[in-house]
Amino acid sequence: MFAKILIANRGEIACRVIRTARRMGVRTVAVYSDADAGALHVEMADEAVHIGPSPVGESYLRGDKIVAAALATGAEAIHPGYGFLSENPDFVDQVTAAGLVFIGPSAASIRAMGLKDAAKRLMEKAGVPVVPGYHGEAQEIVLLASKAREIGYPVLIKARAGGGGKGMRRVEHPDDFSEALSGARREAKAAFGDDRVLVEKYIEKPRHIEVQVFGDIFGNVVHLYERDCSAQRRHQKVIEEAPAPGMTPALRKAMTEAAVKAAKAIDYSGAGTIEFIVDASQGLKADRFWFMEMNTRLQVEHPVTEMVTGTDLVEWQLRVASGEKLPKTQSEITLSGHAFEARIYAEDAARGFLPATGTLHHLKFPDTAPEGASMRIETGVRTGDAISPFYDPMIAKLVVHGKTRPAALEALGIALSQTEIAGSTVNTAFLAALAADADFSAGDVDTGLIGRHQQVLTAVSPPSSEIVAAAALAASGAGAHAPTDDPWSSLAGYAHFHPIARRTRLRYGENEILAHVSVRPEGRFQVALDAPYDSALDLRAAGLARWPGHVTVFSGAVGYSFAVPDPLAKADEIAAGADSLRAPMPGLVKLVRAAKGEAVIKGQPLLILEAMKMEHTISATHDGTIAEIATEGAQVTDGTVLVRFAEEAHG
């Protein structure tokens, strides 16, 4: 076994690897960028090495710096985590050329599966079923459009490199093909440095089911059953589970055998995942699944497999990479119970899942698992940490296990309702709504479920009078939420002739709220609210967090955040109005599609903003004439004016 390893990653996966390595007595070396100097994974590791500025191209994607850090610290092997360089065969070559061990598959195996088109041709030769489509080398738009017509619409354009939904577009009609292809290519180029694509038939009711495989250098390959990852938004996974609901013995046998066959075809060693697309329009059948791609690394959702099989896949990775045989044979790997993983992101579900940033002023996860269940929290952040625009906005993975699917699903809902996060917009309310969705609860899930139910799943009820009153009480500094030396608190319980009152202003979204908080003689508080809210009296304690200029009140999985305006501060003079469009998040102006002086119509795309390697189209909100527009290539922050219209141009 290794004495010391370097982890070429950050965030929750770096922390995850460190925990297992520590349990095994293996020392760890972390690497970090400028933005991560105070990160949790840096604190947890035995040693840490700075590798560059915050942008990934200058730090976490610099294989030369990472290898140099490993050599300088005496590490014997490098664990890549997932993302970044984890599936880069050239990096594997760098590692092995330096005399180090790459904790993962060989460069040859990664190359064999790294490009979706070549991988599918290889799988066809190995007898693994593949989705009907075009996987060739030619990339001329006329050819691709012709192939799309042959396949039959709708089709899916997919980047041949990478994953995570980047460089992917669904196309319903031939007239939309050219525009979708351009967008997919730009996004693929930005994310993977490769703008080539493949075109596949879009399965109308697709299930995304994947099989965890594991191989060693002695030619042994096993599977650890399947995971269902069909709950997706924008082609990115949201809640994963194991085993797949509705799985039949016939399909499980066929799918796991195909997965093992695929891994053996490339002499695979280490952890890997064979992803399949399944046509669920007529139930799960053994002849209705097709190979989609292979992820030659540990998956984000690997904890659900660990929970239902009683394994530690990171331990397996370390053992196999150090030259040991697989810890278990196929017959020794069994399924037990059901597990879910919910990915908690800093994102605004109600605004199309736009990534969010911010400081996590309050971060609290459940202290114990719901009754009858087990739970684990995978995170790489703490209270006070910032969600940076430079990296994926994942905050944590909440993983639960129960004896049955209903029991595990109930535990997931309870755990989400007990999770409190303030300081950034997060998706916990959306996750809770999805877990409670009737179709999802019944196991009737496909990759289009979230899209079909998105309006309901992302809707958040306005705060009740009780929630507003609790926010006003906290904002006023009254009661138990006030500092002990606050004179407002010292007056609680005393009034000579009239109740002591304080006027408090709050802002929720665009709404200004005025509240009057009175201290009653017996030490209780009365909150009087303006219409449309009802006054509230004798409030019970509410879960809440106070942070600079804000109060967040938690109700179930929803966190209602109220701004508390400083009465002495100058009014905000830069609020967005009808005459301007502002950046909804920090990002790069990737493409400008209109010019100063140009007349535009409502809904017309004006520019494309790239944030966290995804493209977001900014469209005109009304007819008008452009007075100013951002410059292509400009790096903007949240709230930056991107487009300004001439004053007389709207109405």
Side-chain angles (χ1 to χ4, degrees), residues 268-299:
Y268 196 79
S269 176
T273 301
I274 310 295
E275 299 192 349
F276 295 101
I277 196 78
V278 182
D279 182 355
S281 59
Q282 299 177 4
L284 299 183
K285 296 186 176 181
D287 62 348
R288 302 295 290 171
F289 76 96
W290 301 278
F291 172 85
M292 191 161 52
E293 62 183 344
M294 181 178 189
N295 288 297
T296 52
R297 54 171 168 79
L298 196 67
Q299 290 280 87

Side-chain angles (χ1 to χ4, degrees), residues 409-421:
L409 191 57
E410 180 182 12
L412 178 64
I414 293 172
L416 285 168
S417 72
Q418 296 173 349
T419 298
E420 299 179 358
I421 304 173

Side-chain angles (χ1 to χ4, degrees), residues 10 32-39 52-54 60 388 390-391:
R10 64 176 301 279
Y32 64 94
S33 67
D34 289 347
D36 281 341
S54 302
Y60 294 107
S388 164
F390 295 104
Y391 313 118

Side-chain angles (χ1 to χ4, degrees), residues 248-458:
T248 65
L251 178 57
R252 176 174 287 148
K253 182 176 185 296
M255 189 176 285
T256 54
E257 287 179 352
V260 171
K261 185 187 298 183
K264 286 185 174 181
I266 57 170
D267 298 321
Y268 196 79
S269 176
T273 301
I274 310 295
E275 299 192 349
F276 295 101
I277 196 78
V278 182
D279 182 355
S281 59
Q282 299 177 4
L284 299 183
K285 296 186 176 181
D287 62 348
R288 302 295 290 171
F289 76 96
W290 301 278
F291 172 85
M292 191 161 52
E293 62 183 344
M294 181 178 189
N295 288 297
T296 52
R297 54 171 168 79
L298 196 67
Q299 290 280 87
V300 177
E301 58 273 20
H302 75 273
V304 294
T305 293
E306 294 182 323
M307 295 286 256
V308 296
T309 59
T311 57
D312 183 333
L313 295 180
V314 173
E315 178 181 343
W316 282 35
Q317 285 186 298
L318 297 181
R319 293 194 181 283
V320 166
S322 66
E324 297 181 22
K325 288 186 176 182
L326 288 173
K328 290 185 179 181
T329 63
Q330 189 65 68
S331 62
E332 295 174 317
I333 303 170
T334 57
L335 279 174
S336 176
H338 204 97
F340 286 94
E341 174 183 290
R343 301 189 187 190
I344 300 175
Y345 279 100
E347 66 179 14
D348 193 338
R351 297 172 66 196
F353 303 101
L354 288 178
T357 57
T359 299
L360 300 175
H361 292 285
H362 178 82
L363 182 64
K364 181 183 178 184
F365 298 109
D367 295 326
T368 58
E371 186 176 355
S374 56
M375 177 185 68
R376 58 194 264 195
I377 305 294
E378 301 283 350
T379 187
V381 294
R382 302 148 297 186
T383 297
D385 285 349
I387 301 300
S388 164
F390 295 104
Y391 313 118
D392 185 89
M394 181 186 287
I395 294 173
K397 301 183 306 194
L398 193 159
V399 191
V400 296
H401 178 271
K403 292 182 179 179
T404 64
R405 187 176 190 272
L409 191 57
E410 180 182 12
L412 178 64
I414 293 172
L416 285 168
S417 72
Q418 296 173 349
T419 298
E420 299 179 358
I421 304 173
S424 177
T425 303
V426 295
N427 67 339
T428 49
F430 161 70
L431 292 171
L434 177 57
D437 178 82
D439 288 343
F440 188 84
S441 297
D444 184 14
V445 59
D446 61 79
T447 59
L449 184 146
I450 291 176
R452 292 193 301 273
H453 299 185
Q454 186 167 331
Q455 186 172 356
V456 173
L457 294 174
T458 58

